[in-house]
């Protein structure tokens, strides 16, 4: 029905590293697609970024970069709310109230925090990293999000957000929408490093030649694909024992909109070198218009700033409505 109320979707990306092809295939393109079905709220999560060591100038640059890239890939500020997290202080304010409705044991059980804590060893971690899932719960609950697109790594955090929302609703009275995970419809979702096809392509990869950044130049992309690791076989076919070729087929499929089966047929009998070159060219062609749009936005700081401020205003209106409801319920004078 035309005027049936659409569900609200919330998603955020941390500007801790430059955006890469894995982010696009695993997250960004779904965010674009979701705009057709949901009222979307999308955040550049700078507050989450400072739980680890980041260079302040890099964080600021990346926050602009992420927003310009959001716009370049087709997130539409007229359709969706696009904003930078720290521009809406309600995120920090609600976190305090939710902290007081989260049990230490619950936060302690989060495997991501435990992993990071273990990896940090003697250097230790900060309270922010421990509290990260509560800030994430605030992000989601402020906007009455019905759905949150998440990967496996965030499932436990979403579960905690649901627990906190249910506890608050039970302790006071129904206040928060209890959010559900949304797992999307796109089939290919995980992209692996070009140099180690068993490891997820990641922005913090040690070996940067395995990562294709969305802003890489055509020359760099060509070089990275030429060096992509394959196998000693010579058949272009997706198979569990051929992770390199499978990964390249998946990338080619997303970039061209062709199925993996069609791609296997297209490259039947071709050499690995020819295939790798073709995948590289497909990526270059796919990124060309996106990079051009990105350059247009990043080159017009006034316009970008206007979009960022306008997004923050729209987000604030919803967030403060939720926060004032929460403040009233817990007994603050509002
Ligand atoms: P990260 O950059 O690791 O914080 O991830 C941000 C989002 O991008 C998450 O939704 C990830 O699941 C997604 N993402 C990052 N790298 C990849 C990848 N190699 N393949 C698929 N999705 C990815």
């Amino acid at each position: 029905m035309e005027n049936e109320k659409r569900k609200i979707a919330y998603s955020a990306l941390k500007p801790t590293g430059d955006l890469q092809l894995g982010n696009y295939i695993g997250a960004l393109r779904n965010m674009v697609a979701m705009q057709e079905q949901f009222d979307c709220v999308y955040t550049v999560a700078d507050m989450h970024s400072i739980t680890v060591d980041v260079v302040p100038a890099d964080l600021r640059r990346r926050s602009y970069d992420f927003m310009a890239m959001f716009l370049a890939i087709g997130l539409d500020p007229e359709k969706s709310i696009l904003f930078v997290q720290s521009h809406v202080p309600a995120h920090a304010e609600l976190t305090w109230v939710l902290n007081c409705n989260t049990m230490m044991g619950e936060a302690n059980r989060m495997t991501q925090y435990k992993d990071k804590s273990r990896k940090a060893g003697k250097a230790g971690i900060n309270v922010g990293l421990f509290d990260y899932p509560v800030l994430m719960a605030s992000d989601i609950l402020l906007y009455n999000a019905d759905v949150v697109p998440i990967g496996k790594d965030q499932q436990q955090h979403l579960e905690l957000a649901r627990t906190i929302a249910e506890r608050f609703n039970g302790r006071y009275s129904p206040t928060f929408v209890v959010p559900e995970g949304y797992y999307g419809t796109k089939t290919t979702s995980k992209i692996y490093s070009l140099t180690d096809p068993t490891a997820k392509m990641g922005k913090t990869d040690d070996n940067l030649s395995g990562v294709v950044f969305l802003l890489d130049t055509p020359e760099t992309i060509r070089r990275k694909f030429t060096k992509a690791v394959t196998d000693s076989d010579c058949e272009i076919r997706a198979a569990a024992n051929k992770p390199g070729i499978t990964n390249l087929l998946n990338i080619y499929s997303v970039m061209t909109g062709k199925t993996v089966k069609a791609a296997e047929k297209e490259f039947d009998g071709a050499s690995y070198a020819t295939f790798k070159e073709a995948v590289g060219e497909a990526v270059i062609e796919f990124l060309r218009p996106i990079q051009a749009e990105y350059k247009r936005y990043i080159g017009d700081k006034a316009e970008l700033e206007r979009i960022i401020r306008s997004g923050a205003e729209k987000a604030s209106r919803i967030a403060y409505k939720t926060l004032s409801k929460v403040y009233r319920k817990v007994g603050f004078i509002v």
Side-chain angles (χ1 to χ4, degrees):
M1 257 196 302
E2 269 289 298
N3 348 333
E4 202 175 314
K5 198 174 170 307
R6 301 213 302 178
K7 284 190 170 175
I8 298 170
Y10 179 92
S11 188
L13 279 183
K14 270 188 314 222
T16 41
D18 293 332
L19 288 167
Q20 39 88 16
L21 202 56
N23 294 129
Y24 180 78
I25 292 174
L28 291 168
R29 70 185 173 131
N30 281 315
M31 288 164 67
V32 177
M34 286 179 79
Q35 294 185 119
E36 303 308 319
Q37 197 184 342
F38 300 104
D39 284 341
C40 300
V41 180
Y42 292 139
T43 316
V44 176
D46 56 348
M47 290 168 68
H48 283 281
S49 294
I50 62 165
T51 51
V52 293
D53 246 346
V54 284
V55 176
D58 286 347
L59 176 59
R60 199 166 4 255
R61 172 185 62 77
R62 285 201 185 108
S63 295
Y64 282 117
D65 264 11
F66 271 46
M67 196 53 89
M69 197 48 98
F70 275 11
L71 297 163
I73 58 159
L75 297 185
D76 180 350
E78 300 301 321
K79 274 192 198 154
S80 304
I81 300 181
L82 312 176
F83 71 103
V84 176
Q85 189 184 22
S86 63
H87 289 176
V88 182
H91 289 252
E93 293 167 297
L94 181 60
T95 298
W96 177 250
V97 178
L98 297 190
N99 275 338
C100 301
N101 284 276
T102 307
M103 304 312 289
M104 283 296 288
E106 289 167 340
N108 243 326
R109 273 199 291 280
M110 296 294 113
T111 53
Q112 205 170 88
Y113 139 75
K114 285 201 282 196
D115 281 353
K116 289 193 171 157
S117 176
R118 198 174 314 118
K119 278 188 195 137
K122 270 212 182 93
I125 59 154
N126 60 53
V127 176
L129 198 58
F130 177 70
D131 204 28
Y132 187 108
V134 184
L135 177 59
M136 184 173 146
S138 300
D139 300 342
I140 299 165
L141 300 180
L142 274 175
Y143 301 97
N144 311 307
D146 299 287
V147 294
V148 183
I150 46 162
K152 264 209 157 49
D153 53 337
Q154 292 298 323
Q155 233 158 357
Q156 200 188 21
H157 289 167
L158 182 68
E159 214 33 66
L160 181 65
R162 289 169 56 84
T163 303
I164 297 171
E166 278 163 356
R167 174 171 302 124
F168 192 97
N169 289 349
R171 183 172 174 190
Y172 300 96
S173 62
T175 308
F176 295 124
V177 172
V178 181
E180 308 267 351
Y182 178 80
Y183 301 95
T185 49
K186 305 275 191 234
T187 40
T188 301
S189 60
K190 203 161 171 185
I191 293 300
Y192 295 88
S193 162
L194 298 187
T195 46
D196 176 4
T198 57
K200 189 171 154 178
M201 185 181 284
K203 56 190 179 182
T204 47
D205 237 305
D206 291 337
N207 187 355
L208 291 184
S209 55
V211 183
V212 179
F213 292 99
L214 298 184
L215 293 174
D216 272 349
T217 62
E219 297 72 52
T220 305
I221 295 173
R222 240 168 242 135
R223 182 168 41 78
K224 286 178 178 174
F225 278 95
T226 306
K227 288 192 182 151
V229 168
T230 50
D231 51 48
S232 54
D233 192 31
C234 58
E235 212 185 334
I236 298 167
R237 177 174 57 86
N241 63 347
K242 293 168 72 66
I245 291 293
T246 305
N247 190 40
L248 291 170
L249 280 166
N250 282 333
I251 294 174
Y252 186 76
S253 159
V254 175
M255 296 293 104
T256 58
K258 297 175 186 169
T259 62
V260 167
K261 277 269 158 288
E264 285 175 341
K265 219 167 181 183
E266 184 179 344
F267 293 101
D268 187 28
S271 71
Y272 279 179
T274 306
F275 173 55
K276 290 199 286 187
E277 192 187 321
V279 182
E281 291 308 317
V283 173
I284 291 168
E285 284 319 309
F286 184 84
L287 291 180
R288 198 186 299 283
I290 293 177
Q291 293 186 349
E293 275 295 278
Y294 162 85
K295 283 202 186 98
R296 195 167 68 77
Y297 283 109
I298 212 72
D300 187 353
K301 267 279 158 64
E303 172 66 356
L304 188 59
E305 200 70 62
R306 190 194 62 72
I307 294 171
I308 291 175
R309 299 292 153 185
S310 147
E313 272 171 37
K314 287 186 210 162
S316 290
R317 273 200 288 278
I318 305 172
Y320 277 99
K321 214 163 138 189
T322 306
L323 189 70
S324 90
K325 215 163 29 164
V326 167
Y327 273 15
R328 235 188 347 262
K329 296 208 182 184
V330 302
F332 293 168
I333 297 172
V334 289

